[in-house]
Amino acid sequence: MRGNGGGGGPRRDADLLEWIGFEQCGVLTVAQAVAAAGRGVVRGHLRLGRWRRICRGVLLTENGRLGWDQQLWVAVLAAGPGALLGGVTAATLGGVRGLRAGPVDVLIPAHRTVTRRLTGLPLDMPGVRVHRSTLLTPGTRLGRPPRTTVARAVVDAASWARTDDEARVVLAAACQQRRVLPSQLHEVVAAHPRSPRRALIRATISDLDGGAQALSELDFVALCRRYGLPSPDLQQHRTDARGRHRYLDAYWRQWRLHVEVDGAHHMDVRHWAADMLRQNEVWISGDRILRFPSWLLRGRPDEVAAQIRAALTAAGWREPPS
């Protein structure tokens, strides 16, 4: 019996074992299999090689290699009662693209005592990283296999990320792809007062709420804050001379200063020419425009801040007294 079989599911007269296998892609706990079919039937399938024993307490009702959906079910069932997928794993299942692949993240109730990484898994399983939480309310979980909501998954992924930059990328990707709203992330953070990186996550969500959509834009907002520059408006809409819709990376409307932060793709000849034409249109309209490569924001922020300060001052901005 293949638990992930096609055709829309088991027959109408299918027994309990077939239905559980269908719902869980053929991955069952031993207790589920015994309750549905009896201990003798389970032992017989395993002895004859029709089924696989995956790890302690978990089996597969076929004998092939594990597929991705089956791997997720193994992770949840092997982690024990109350477990659900979280972090990058749950965020990816919720539609957030481009996140760093890694171990399968599983959340379990805080009172459970399970090691940080599950052991005894077969070679066709990825690593499984276990996290404990005191806040696993019924509203936290959805889907099959059970996983956290996208908002909770994104905040957890940012909390568990290897670096601050990686945490900010997770938050930015989820908001940019419209998989979650900043207000939903704020609600999750408010409910988790002891989350790692809480201050960074809150500040990043606020910047995303203000219009930042990429790591370079988040870096730019942080630079302005660090050097005492006024906060710009981000992703401001503009219609060019041909009537096409454009979005400005950063714009100070009062001083008519526009800043573009260029990624590596802007070095392509076609992008470069288009950028120069767009820059000319901005200048013709009467605005000042500054352009910086994204690496310069991180590598030489003093120079970037100095030029922005000089441009703002030339346009009439006066730095407030300290």
Side-chain angles (χ1 to χ4, degrees), residues 26 39 85 98 110 121 146 165 180 205 219 240 282 285 290 294 303 316:
R39 192 173 300 277
L85 301 171
L121 298 175
D165 273 357
V180 70
I205 296 170
D219 287 336
D240 66 15
V282 171
S285 72
L290 299 177
S294 56
E303 295 178 43

Side-chain angles (χ1 to χ4, degrees), residues 185-254:
L185 298 178
H186 274 304
E187 290 177 6
V188 174
V189 174
H192 295 75
R194 293 184 291 178
S195 292
R197 291 197 181 93
R198 189 169 188 267
L200 172 75
I201 292 171
R202 289 183 64 185
T204 303
I205 296 170
S206 295
D207 291 340
L208 292 166
D209 207 8
Q213 292 192 14
L215 184 59
S216 58
E217 293 170 16
L218 293 172
D219 287 336
F220 186 76
V221 171
L223 180 145
C224 291
R225 189 181 296 125
R226 186 164 68 249
Y227 286 90
L229 300 170
S231 296
D233 296 317
L234 301 173
Q235 292 295 315
Q236 290 294 293
H237 177 263
R238 186 187 191 113
T239 304
D240 66 15
R242 299 183 183 180
R244 292 174 299 190
H245 297 290
R246 305 289 190 185
Y247 290 89
L248 311 180
D249 285 354
Y251 187 55
W252 288 269
R253 188 175 302 278
Q254 181 178 350

